[in-house]
Amino acid sequence: QASPYCCIARRRSLKEGKESNMAQRYQITSDKVAEGAVVPEKIQLKLARNATLAEEKQKAVDAAKKEREEQREALKKRAQEYQKEYAAHEKQLIDLRREAKLGGNFFVEPEAKLLFVVRIKGIIKMSPKPRKVLQLLRLRQLHNGVFLKVNKPILQMLKLVQPYVTYGYPTLKTVRELIYKRGFAKVNKQRIPISDNNIISGNL
């Protein structure tokens, strides 16, 4: 409501939008005073405070925008480098296969470095040892899936729980789709879906 001493027209200082940055989470009113109106001291203090907050907020918004642009550019360059690396590796494998075929030899495929394991059975009639191994592998529920490194301890653990899980060696395309569609991160002891790069970069 308008004060008897002045006429204050309130408007939004920034467009409304869903932004993760705290600087854009709260709207600060931008007040105008009618020309020639007598403004009480409290209103003057409030106007000065709002102006300072609006200036600080605009600076924070600009800094966050610049940081996002730089981060996006860096991520783009990194993705291009990875793409070149994957293409070069794939081309090298194709050349080695052709060379082996021309020489009449067999080409031994390189060993996989990554496993994807899915739990396919519940806890009914399960002994304590496999149950403990499944807990160590983070397979606490039916249809849970995890990525694991291929090494001797992991393979030994998989032998103990082989009737309860299924696993294989995922391709780059499979890993990308799984992370995009079903990837979750643990942040502040909460299971949060991976929907933004800031979830990862802010908690590393």
Side-chain angles (χ1 to χ4, degrees):
Q1 295 180 357
S3 169
Y5 303 99
C6 64
C7 179
I8 299 176
R10 301 182 183 275
R11 65 182 178 82
R12 300 280 186 184
S13 61
L14 291 172
K15 293 181 180 180
E16 295 182 356
K18 294 181 179 179
E19 296 290 337
S20 59
N21 196 313
M22 185 173 291
Q24 289 184 339
R25 191 174 299 172
Y26 303 104
Q27 297 294 332
I28 300 173
T29 58
S30 178
D31 303 328
K32 291 183 179 180
V33 180
E35 186 177 355
V38 180
V39 183
E41 185 179 358
K42 287 186 178 181
I43 301 297
Q44 291 180 2
L45 293 174
K46 182 179 179 181
L47 293 175
R49 181 201 65 189
N50 285 352
T52 304
L53 289 176
E55 185 180 356
E56 292 177 355
K57 178 180 176 181
Q58 188 60 42
K59 289 181 180 178
V61 169
D62 295 339
K65 184 178 180 181
K66 184 178 179 182
E67 184 181 357
R68 281 198 302 270
E69 290 176 354
E70 293 175 353
Q71 186 180 14
R72 189 177 296 125
E73 188 66 24
L75 290 173
K76 183 180 178 181
K77 290 182 179 179
R78 191 187 307 172
Q80 290 175 350
E81 291 175 359
Y82 283 140
Q83 191 65 32
K84 290 180 181 178
E85 182 181 346
Y86 296 144
H89 180 67
E90 190 67 27
K91 186 176 182 301
Q92 183 183 8
L93 288 179
I94 292 174
D95 292 341
L96 290 174
R97 291 191 192 101
R98 288 175 178 172
E99 184 180 349
K101 187 176 181 180
L102 289 174
N105 299 320
F106 293 100
F107 176 70
V108 179
E109 297 287 341
E111 294 184 0
K113 298 180 181 179
L114 187 68
L115 273 170
F116 185 68
V117 187
V118 181
R119 182 167 173 174
I120 58 174
K121 287 191 178 181
I123 61 174
I124 299 176
K125 296 182 180 179
M126 184 186 297
S127 60
K129 191 170 184 179
R131 186 179 300 181
K132 182 63 178 177
V133 172
L134 288 173
Q135 289 180 358
L136 294 175
L137 294 176
R138 294 175 287 124
L139 296 171
R140 298 178 180 273
Q141 294 180 355
L142 192 65
H143 301 148
N144 277 12
V146 293
F147 289 106
L148 299 172
K149 289 184 178 180
V150 179
N151 52 37
K152 190 174 180 180
I154 292 295
L155 294 177
Q156 292 292 335
M157 294 170 73
L158 287 177
K159 286 182 180 178
L160 294 173
V161 295
Q162 200 159 7
Y164 309 101
V165 298
T166 182
Y167 57 91
Y169 305 102
T171 61
L172 176 63
K173 179 175 180 292
T174 307
V175 173
R176 185 183 289 118
E177 289 180 353
L178 282 170
I179 294 296
Y180 286 162
K181 292 182 181 180
R182 301 292 296 173
F184 286 85
K186 194 171 184 181
V187 180
N188 294 329
K189 298 182 180 180
Q190 294 180 345
R191 188 169 178 263
I192 298 177
I194 301 175
S195 59
D196 191 2
N197 287 326
N198 293 329
I199 297 176
I200 305 299
S201 60
N203 293 278
L204 287 178

